Amino acid sequence: MAKNSRSSDSLPLLREVLKDGERTLLEKGISSPAAEAEYLLSNVLGMKRHELFLSFEKEIERGKAELFSYLIGKRSEGVPSQYLLNSCEFMGYDFEVGPGVLVPRPETEILVCEVVEEWKKLTPAGKTDAIILDIGTGSGAIAISLALILAGVKVIATEISPAALLFAERNRAKHGLSSERVRFCPGDLFQPIDEYKGRVWAVVSNPPYVKAHELETLPVEVRDYEPRIALDGGPDGLSTIRRIIDGSAEFLIQDGMLALEIPEDSAEKVVSMTRGAGRFAEVKVVKDLSGRDRILMARHGSGP
């Protein structure tokens, strides 16, 4: 027998299992098949991705290889990897996700970072506490991340979907936050939180902004699995954004901040809408790392 040959009853090598998974995803048209396969296998094995590369020639337990094969099969059907693992990383924190809640995107981290930077500007001036509204919280990723990063804030978050609220509540408990720090309110946009009018330092939101006629063109893992209510922005993609701009001024204190994730192809329209409301100044758009218009920031006060 050749020196490097392996018997038929040998355990599979990590390299072989990973390559088989990548090949299956590629054949099914899943984008970034190598990265997806590495992500799933590293979670099955409890490894960091770089540790996989150092373990290519190691054998993998048959049970774990079978679990990985099952996950690859479900992913090849279009099920999001984050749903399969019930986990998504956001701002360095782990959040539970699953059917019924939007998977937090890396680009949404820019929204959180911009709000944090605005808060830092206030800290030297003696600002030690504030209220932030997170409109349409979903998994609670934005609200919880802000509460974990900014010790002096209380976050009030609204969400119309009962399924999403269940995830948000579990994620708050997971990160050890009380309802005094992060309060989740069931209801549509500002409807359940009238008592906070005129008391809020920042209104933040990653609202639905996909144009209704473009929903069917989304990747299968988004189109067929993530909740439409978190995606559908109406005919022009701006229905919910328009309502948030119109409603937020009643809640913001003087010089309070409005921070919204926006569709890259409608930045000029959103800026025009915000300025046209007559209640905001210092309206600007922040680009993401790819140079695409991503976040609208505006300060509540006299318009231009």
Side-chain angles (χ1 to χ4, degrees), residues 72-225:
I72 286 291
K74 300 301 291 184
R75 182 68 190 95
S76 68
E77 294 172 5
V79 182
S81 294
Q82 296 88 346
Y83 281 9
L84 292 171
L85 300 172
N86 295 120
S87 175
C88 179
E89 184 178 305
F90 183 81
M91 294 298 297
Y93 305 113
D94 184 65
F95 290 91
E96 182 182 344
V97 294
V101 70
L102 189 75
V103 175
R105 272 50 170 185
E107 54 266 28
T108 304
E109 294 182 350
I110 301 170
L111 177 67
V112 174
C113 291
E114 288 296 317
V115 174
V116 169
E117 288 303 308
E118 289 296 326
W119 174 260
K120 288 180 180 178
K121 295 176 185 177
L122 297 177
T123 305
K127 187 74 174 174
T128 58
D129 63 342
I131 295 173
I132 294 176
L133 295 185
D134 176 23
I135 303 299
T137 195
S139 66
I142 292 173
I144 291 167
S145 295
L146 286 169
L148 291 171
I149 296 168
L150 304 177
V153 305
K154 176 177 181 177
V155 185
I156 311 300
T158 65
E159 175 55 58
I160 196 171
S161 165
L165 277 171
L166 289 176
F167 283 101
E169 295 280 3
R170 288 201 290 266
N171 282 320
R172 181 181 62 191
K174 178 176 185 173
H175 290 284
L177 292 167
S178 70
S179 58
E180 290 299 312
R181 290 292 317 285
V182 180
R183 176 187 171 195
F184 294 118
C185 303
D188 184 35
L189 301 187
F190 300 98
Q191 174 266 324
I193 51 172
D194 273 356
E195 69 267 34
Y196 293 100
K197 285 183 176 179
R199 300 171 54 193
V200 173
W201 170 69
V203 171
V204 304
S205 182
N206 175 22
Y209 56 71
V210 179
K211 297 179 180 67
H213 67 274
E214 294 179 349
L215 289 168
E216 294 305 316
T217 69
L218 295 173
V220 62
E221 62 264 28
V222 179
R223 182 191 69 219
D224 293 348
Y225 291 93

